[in-house]
């Protein structure tokens, strides 16, 4: 039965033990991020001792020393020994992705994972038993109102928008160039949130106009906290289920389909099809499962995340194709980027 396992894995289950530790490794990075360790080390001209870091960040010396040592252990920080004192410094990766200020910062993604996703995953057993999200048990909010739970306070909305914003740091360019979209003159990013992906679109297709459509509170917060100088994108407020959607040649749905039930997805895609001119299209952006659902692990884990937090799931290509064809779209093209998110283009 277990003939595919090597004798050494049976004698000592290395991989299993490493997986068990996974959540603690995550929390080591998350905690350092929340405490400001990476920001301090970035701005410091020289390597710092644990005593120095502890003093600057108002923590215990002992706790900070253990945390810094663990960060060295997982190769996020570096250490050197000088006159019997350990001096810690950042790696290039930590400076680029973990410090707050950098252009490629994933800080906001980490904060959301640590403060919102982590508590939700604590109820994974119940989510699997019940087959539904855990917003009620975790936060006391109704399971049916997914975004009411996500936006339960202004602070939570800002954190969620920070998460959404930071994902496109890594995948944005690959997504907007997965297909040549230069033929689409007007582009609307439905549920476009902070406008991060829309800005990538506007950069890649400078002669197209790009509009971000989202709920009124989200548009207001995007304008207030995520606007950029010389923004080439516009915002429009509305509700893509209960209201009108703007006219466009290309409708972008990035991480929208995976939030909702089959029925709601079909309603939304039909509505888009009705608004879509001949030759127009819809671009879906999702972490696509393999057809047999045997990977990628990222998409399998994301699908569990959709279970604890939304009413949706991650899907394999055939399910997107079927949804699109049922909604009236003709040709469907698929592009796997090799990163977390993939693109599907369907035209009318
Ligand atoms: N497209 C963005 C991205 O991938 O970064 C954000 C994706 S986020 C998971 C879903 C977005 O849909 C949120 O910005 C949310 O506010 C928006 N949304 C949810 N329900 C909506 C509705 N009924 N009408 C318009 N936007 C909605
Ligand atoms: C959604 C995307 C996300 C709704 C809730 C979400 C993500 C986290 N929570 O549409 C981003 C991708 N998934 C993970 C696990 O980070």
């Amino acid at each position: 039965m277990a003939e595919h396992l090597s004798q050494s894995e049976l004698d000592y289950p290395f991989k299993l033990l490493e997986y068990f530790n996974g959540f603690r490794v995550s929390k080591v990075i998350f905690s350092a991020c929340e405490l400001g360790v990476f920001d301090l080390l970035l701005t410091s001209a020289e390597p710092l001792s644990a005593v120095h870091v502890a003093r600057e960040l108002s923590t215990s010396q002992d706790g900070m020393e253990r945390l810094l040592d663990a960060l060295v252990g997982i190769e996020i920080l570096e250490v050197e020994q000088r006159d019997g004192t350990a001096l810690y410094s950042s790696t290039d990766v930590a400076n680029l992705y973990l410090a707050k200020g950098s252009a490629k910062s994933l800080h906001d993604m980490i904060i959301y994972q640590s403060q919102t996703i982590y508590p939700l995953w604590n109820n994974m057993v119940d989510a699997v038993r019940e087959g539904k999200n855990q917003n009620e048990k975790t936060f006391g909010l109704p399971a049916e109102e997914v975004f009411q739970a996500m936006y339960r306070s202004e602070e939570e909305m800002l954190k969620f928008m920070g998460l959404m914003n930071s994902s496109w740091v890594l995948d944005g360019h690959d997504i907007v160039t997965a297909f040549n979209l230069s033929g689409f003159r007007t582009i609307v990013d439905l549920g476009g949130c902070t406008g991060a992906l829309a800005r990538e679109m506007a950069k890649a297709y400078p002669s197209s106009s790009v509009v971000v459509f989202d709920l009124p509170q989200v548009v207001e917060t995007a304008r207030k906290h995520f606007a950029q100088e010389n923004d080439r994108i516009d915002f429009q407020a509305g509700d893509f289920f209960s209201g009108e959607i703007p006219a466009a040649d290309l409708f972008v749905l990035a991480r929208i389909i995976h939030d909702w039930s089959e029925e709601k997805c079909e309603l939304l895609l039909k509505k888009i099809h009705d608004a879509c001119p001949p030759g127009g299209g819809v671009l879906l952006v999702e972490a696509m499962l393999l057809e047999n659902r045997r990977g990628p692990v990222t998409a399998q884990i994301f699908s569990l995340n959709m279970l604890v937090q939304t009413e949706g799931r991650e899907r394999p290509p055939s399910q997107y194709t079927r949804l699109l064809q049922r909604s009236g779209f003709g040709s469907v093209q698929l592009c796997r980027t090799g990163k977390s998110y993939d693109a599907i283009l369907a035209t009318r």
Side-chain angles (χ1 to χ4, degrees):
M1 194 187 84
E3 65 270 23
H4 58 287
L5 287 175
S6 68
Q7 192 55 47
S8 82
E9 277 291 337
L10 290 174
D11 288 342
Y12 194 87
F14 290 99
K15 195 162 92 177
L16 215 46
L17 292 172
E18 199 177 318
Y19 285 166
F20 293 171
N21 247 330
F23 80 98
R24 285 183 280 223
V25 173
S26 304
K27 267 298 188 185
V28 164
I29 301 176
F30 296 168
S31 305
C33 205
E34 292 196 42
L35 288 165
V37 170
F38 304 117
D39 306 317
L40 177 65
L41 290 175
L42 175 67
T43 53
S44 162
E46 38 179 33
L48 303 176
S49 68
V51 172
H52 187 133
V53 175
R55 194 184 334 110
E56 289 286 325
L57 302 178
S58 317
T59 73
S60 69
Q61 288 178 16
D62 175 42
M64 183 53 74
E65 184 173 60
R66 296 190 210 193
L67 183 64
L68 293 170
D69 285 342
L71 287 162
V72 173
I74 59 173
E75 299 179 335
I76 300 283
L77 295 183
E78 279 164 0
V79 71
E80 63 190 278
Q81 206 71 19
R82 219 182 279 164
D83 305 328
T85 306
L87 297 176
Y88 301 88
S89 55
S90 257
T91 55
D92 291 343
V93 169
N95 281 334
L96 193 57
Y97 294 111
L98 302 178
K100 217 182 293 182
S102 111
K104 292 198 170 197
S105 179
L106 301 178
H107 181 267
D108 291 358
M109 183 187 284
I110 291 168
I111 297 299
Y112 194 81
Q113 308 253 16
S114 184
Q115 297 180 357
T116 302
I117 293 183
Y118 192 87
L120 276 161
W121 277 66
N122 204 24
N123 293 314
M124 184 56 76
V125 170
D126 289 336
V128 170
R129 280 206 180 108
E130 299 163 11
K132 67 180 181 88
N133 74 53
Q134 296 299 305
N135 290 326
E136 193 156 347
K137 198 167 302 102
T138 318
F139 305 119
L141 290 156
E144 306 75 47
E145 299 296 335
V146 168
F147 281 88
Q148 223 161 291
M150 225 98 86
Y151 299 155
R152 61 195 171 279
S153 66
E154 202 187 327
E155 194 193 351
E156 268 305 310
M157 177 184 280
L158 258 177
K159 274 196 248 172
F160 181 74
M161 291 175 75
L163 164 78
M164 289 297 122
N165 202 56
S166 64
S167 313
W168 303 122
V169 162
L170 298 175
D171 293 22
H173 181 74
D174 296 65
I175 289 299
V176 302
T177 56
F179 300 100
N180 180 358
L181 305 174
S182 60
F184 301 109
R185 311 309 293 182
T186 59
I187 301 173
V188 173
D189 189 355
L190 294 169
C193 207
T194 64
L197 189 62
R199 287 187 186 94
E200 292 288 340
M201 287 268 170
K203 222 190 296 167
Y205 305 104
S207 54
S208 300
S209 76
V210 184
V211 171
V212 170
F213 180 88
D214 211 302
L215 297 167
Q217 328 83 278
V218 176
V219 166
E220 192 187 321
T221 309
R223 286 199 173 113
K224 195 163 141 198
H225 294 277
F226 295 90
Q228 288 189 3
E229 273 177 66
N230 315 316
D231 237 349
R232 278 200 50 243
I233 59 170
D234 288 310
F235 285 90
Q236 193 175 323
D239 184 316
F240 54 50
F241 284 125
S242 65
E244 299 258 303
I245 54 171
D249 300 324
L250 180 69
F251 297 90
V252 178
L253 289 174
R255 298 189 282 188
I256 305 297
I257 295 302
H258 78 168
D259 289 335
W260 305 106
S261 67
E262 214 68 8
E263 298 73 48
K264 284 191 192 164
C265 291
E266 211 173 308
L267 275 175
L268 179 58
L269 287 170
K270 283 201 168 115
K271 194 167 185 171
I272 293 171
H273 185 262
D274 288 343
C276 189
V282 59
L283 182 77
L284 307 185
V285 180
E286 300 286 359
M288 233 190 306
L289 287 165
L290 296 175
E291 195 49 55
N292 63 10
R293 300 200 320 276
R294 293 300 154 255
V297 176
T298 322
Q300 292 168 330
I301 299 276
F302 280 8
S303 201
L304 282 169
N305 197 75
M306 293 303 104
L307 176 66
V308 289
Q309 209 174 5
T310 70
E311 57 183 65
R313 60 188 311 111
E314 305 302 349
R315 298 174 170 84
S318 62
Q319 288 189 24
Y320 290 110
T321 305
R322 198 192 47 192
L323 269 172
L324 287 161
Q325 283 171 347
R326 276 199 195 165
S327 316
F329 287 96
S331 91
V332 181
Q333 289 168 272
L334 218 110
C335 178
R336 287 197 186 269
T337 66
K339 295 190 175 176
S340 298
Y341 293 100
D342 307 296
I344 306 164
L345 179 65
T347 49
R348 179 174 173 156

